[in-house]
Amino acid sequence: MALTLTDLTAPQGFERLVLAQDPQAGLRALICLHSTTLGPAAGGCRMWAYADDDAAIHDVTRLARGMTYKNAMADLGLGGGKAVIIGDARTDKTPAMMRAFGEAVDALGGTYWTAEDVGISPADMAHAAEATRFAVGLSGASGDPSPWTAEGVFRCLRVGARHAFGTDDLTGRRVLVQGLGHVGLSLAEKLASAGARLMVTDIHQAALDDAATRLGATVCAPDAVFDQQMDILAPCALGGVLTRDTATALTATLVCGAANNQLADDGVADILAARGITYLPDYVVNAGGIISVASEIHGKPDAWRLDRLTAIAGRVDQMLTRARDTDQLPSAVADQMVHDMLTTRRAA
């Protein structure tokens, strides 16, 4: 059986939701286009062993919407989309699967550009690129976007620290990095170099041992994160870590991390604000990866990427200043900034 694409009912406000299947290649994937108002939709491909299709749809739609906001705030001339491949990346992934995924992307005719995300590497994306020119983040081109994501988060974290503590000097600040994947580890290295008192947690012991030995980090168990005394929490694993309960227990003054969709629901932002905790919206601060990918899409040099990393740090400063002056949540200010961009473009 060849590749099939089936349009599913997209949630209200979304443009398209597609189920891509190729049983012979082992592919079952969802591709979601949230908005192409500002340009073709762009966002990574994630591979995860979801419990069922509903869980996969919930994830891909939240991620796609987040990409619209992220790409808008980073001024990339791109809309928002996302893809998820259903399966275990460690055991199920094959080159044939990735080529079939590339065929699915190609069938969308350039309305969606894909790149790597959780469970997908530049080498995997190279297999997808054999079937489509709309696969980016390739070795020899923009490459692994993780270092760029980490650099962007680090710059934004320092801006947040200046607003929260009166200085961006991180010397002695207790910072807990939750998740030591490519982005989390790179961020941890930057924090250690900046003199932070680094704490780390991850589900993989080897990553913890490395951070403890090489960076002098204190290790904490994954289920003990919200028992720790800290100044800054940097969530860099999967989303939904800030629930109403964990937000109530959190001791940090600032939250700034690379994970997508860190808030379990919108009401968590109110809880954090009521407790005097500054939360920097993830879609603003973790845009470094898509900035790197966008440079490949648009054919731009490293200087272009660096300019946009500087720009997102500037937007964080603008967002926090406006939030303070208008007594609003930073997340509400950021959402309004994106809403204004989309409305202006639609009107034009």
Side-chain angles (χ1 to χ4, degrees):
M1 180 178 177
L3 174 74
T4 61
L5 298 183
T6 305
D7 275 284
L8 306 180
T9 301
Q12 185 175 3
F14 286 69
E15 294 183 8
R16 195 172 184 190
L17 179 62
V18 176
L19 173 64
Q21 299 182 92
D22 185 335
Q24 185 173 352
L27 177 72
R28 183 174 177 83
L30 291 159
I31 303 174
C32 180
L33 278 62
H34 175 255
S35 173
T36 55
T37 298
L38 298 177
C45 172
R46 170 174 296 188
M47 186 167 182
W48 195 256
Y50 295 99
D52 52 38
D53 283 1
D54 286 343
I57 290 171
H58 176 74
D59 201 30
V60 77
T61 51
R62 289 191 72 194
L63 291 166
R65 180 180 182 275
M67 290 307 304
T68 294
Y69 281 62
K70 183 185 302 187
N71 293 341
M73 285 292 277
D75 190 24
L76 299 180
L78 297 170
K82 202 77 175 184
V84 298
I85 297 174
I86 301 171
D88 188 328
R90 297 177 181 234
T91 58
D92 299 336
K93 185 171 54 181
T94 65
M97 173 190 288
M98 294 308 303
R99 282 190 290 271
F101 172 70
E103 291 176 20
V105 170
D106 201 66
L108 298 181
T111 57
Y112 169 65
W113 288 77
T114 192
E116 60 266 20
D117 194 10
V118 175
I120 300 295
S121 69
D124 298 325
M125 201 48 57
H127 291 303
E130 294 173 15
T132 183
R133 69 183 185 90
F134 304 113
V136 287
L138 307 176
S139 298
S142 64
D144 182 2
S146 300
W148 295 91
T149 303
E151 177 63 21
V153 172
F154 181 67
R155 293 187 183 200
C156 293
L157 185 148
R158 294 190 67 163
V159 173
R162 179 161 51 81
H163 280 261
F165 306 113
T167 176
D168 64 1
D169 184 0
L170 299 176
T171 304
R173 292 282 176 211
R174 298 166 298 179
V175 186
L176 196 157
V177 177
Q178 183 186 33
L180 291 174
H182 289 172
V183 176
L185 180 58
S186 181
L187 178 62
E189 290 168 345
K190 294 175 187 297
L191 290 165
S193 294
R197 290 172 54 191
L198 186 63
M199 295 180 281
V200 295
T201 188
D202 194 274
I203 59 174
H204 299 295
Q205 189 61 45
L208 296 175
D209 292 343
D210 172 62
T213 301
R214 194 163 52 83
L215 304 179
T218 299
V219 171
C220 115
D223 59 359
V225 167
F226 296 96
D227 299 327
Q228 307 303 311
Q229 291 296 315
M230 68 189 88
D231 298 307
I232 302 171
L233 173 66
C236 295
L238 294 179
V241 296
L242 289 167
T243 65
R244 292 171 185 261
D245 289 340
T246 58
T248 301
L250 181 63
T251 61
T253 302
L254 173 66
V255 177
C256 177
N260 289 308
N261 302 318
Q262 294 166 23
L263 306 184
D265 62 71
D266 291 341
V268 175
D270 295 297
I271 295 173
L272 293 172
R275 299 192 60 235
I277 300 171
T278 299
Y279 164 69
L280 303 188
D282 47 70
Y283 71 78
V284 180
V285 307
N286 67 8
I290 194 64
I291 287 172
S292 176
V293 168
S295 72
E296 188 175 341
I297 293 173
H298 297 314
K300 299 293 186 179
D302 281 355
W304 184 88
R305 295 195 255 191
L306 291 169
D307 284 346
R308 271 149 184 78
L309 285 182
T310 300
I312 61 171
R315 286 190 180 87
V316 168
D317 186 44
Q318 177 186 358
M319 173 189 71
L320 290 174
T321 299
R322 188 184 300 181
R324 180 197 64 209
D325 293 346
T326 60
D327 196 26
Q328 295 185 78
L329 296 176
S331 55
V333 172
D335 287 352
Q336 186 61 52
M337 291 168 71
V338 173
H339 175 77
D340 292 345
M341 294 176 195
L342 296 175
T343 300
T344 299
R345 176 59 64 86
R346 291 185 187 114

